[in-house]
Amino acid sequence: MILVTGGAGFIGTNLVRAAVARGEEVLVVDRLGYAAQEANLEDGGARVRLVALDLAAPGDALDRLLAEARPRAVVHCAAETHVDRSIAGPEAFVASNLVGTFRLLEAVRAYWTGLPEEEGRAFRLLHVSTDEVYGSRAPEDPPNREGDPYEPTSPYAATKAGSDHLARAWQRTYGLPVLVTNCTNNYGPYQYPEKFLPLVIHQALRGRPLPVYGDGRQVRDWLYVDDHVRALLRVLEAGTVGATYHVSAGLGPTNLEVLERLCAILDRLRPRPEGPTRALVRHVTDRPAHDRRYALDSTRLRRELGWRPEESLESGLEKTVRWYLAHEDWWRRAAGEDFRRWLAARYEPEVAR
Ligand code: DAU
């Protein structure tokens, strides 16, 4: 059995579903915050058990759970993840990403210390992180490699950077068998519609404006979530304790280019009688300290563990749009009261309507 924190969120859900499909039993620990949906895991049946728990809360609930469930591995996906929300309210990010990770590390350390020798040797804690810890890259900079200095800019990225440092410190100081992955921007099924691509799909399906920050020339290295999940399972299975692995497809489209492709796919799969989807694009107020470009070098993961992405940007975007079209109940549920409040707080009234 493996324990997945944040297993009812976007990447967590996709990871849990893939692990279950491979015959694993999974214990999900999730705070069930605004971006999580319990229903994501319902068809996992008896192989998935969900426990609602806030990792940042003091107490021994997690210690008891670990002692009872005896997982062979923990994958730490739980985090507050939206950069704009971290700018609007950083405290939740400090609580979840820093305090939550600290408490998890301490609970796992106590559990792992008490394991019989062989189980202790086989145990793994995989800390799931992001490319944003490195800060913004200039167009001519090479992609970041494992070990490059951290230069986070947003409160979100700073708290993720801190959580990476904690995870590595627990490995070095206490010998806890920690591995770290840093991944680029994910997209795909079950992503809460505040993030750029699901937001664009959500807005387009409702005939509403598609908000582009600033000039839209920022570059992200998009990865279909299933490719990330395969990387996580591979690192868990064969990664070296103490190592960091970058996960990336090595792409560099601008936001406007991705938007253009997404609009073309939407026009093909769900044409709008009023005209092309791209007519809905609106340039809106930029994000403060908006990072221009992220890029990761994933040579280590490819060479040492034989991973590579299976989806191209085109095939991944099409799969994503098809999923949202087939799961209108899901995104309508996700786009509830909290989402509407967020849109109204962040965007111009024309977008938030
Ligand atoms: O790079 C990995 C990171 O990717 C993850 O660690 C974060 O959790 C995740 O939120 C994401 O960060 P970004 O800030 O890159 O993702 P987001 O979807 O918010 O924005 C992607 C790009 O699109 C970014 O340049 C900002 C822009 N954008 C975003 C929104 C929400 C817009 O132009 N308009 C929007 O309305």
Side-chain angles (χ1 to χ4, degrees), residues 107-190:
V108 171
R109 180 164 76 94
Y111 164 68
W112 170 74
T113 307
L115 284 177
E117 207 183 316
E118 208 169 306
E119 280 176 53
R121 248 199 322 269
F123 182 82
R124 296 286 180 271
L125 168 58
L126 173 54
H127 174 68
V128 179
S129 191
T130 167
D131 58 3
E132 299 207 11
V133 295
Y134 295 109
S136 192
R137 309 295 288 160
E140 65 282 6
D141 287 343
N144 284 110
R145 306 188 70 142
E146 293 89 349
D148 278 359
Y150 278 17
E151 292 180 59
T153 48
S154 70
Y156 159 67
T159 56
K160 282 302 286 186
S163 73
D164 293 9
H165 291 317
L166 290 175
R168 292 195 182 104
W170 261 241
Q171 194 275 318
R172 288 183 192 137
T173 307
Y174 305 111
L176 193 64
V178 172
L179 302 98
V180 176
T181 53
N182 296 88
C183 189
T184 56
N185 285 62
N186 280 213
Y187 65 97
Y190 301 102

Side-chain angles (χ1 to χ4, degrees), residues 338-349:
D338 172 90
F339 176 71
R340 282 194 296 276
R341 239 183 290 126
W342 168 248
L343 278 194
R346 169 63 186 87
Y347 296 93
E348 286 77 347

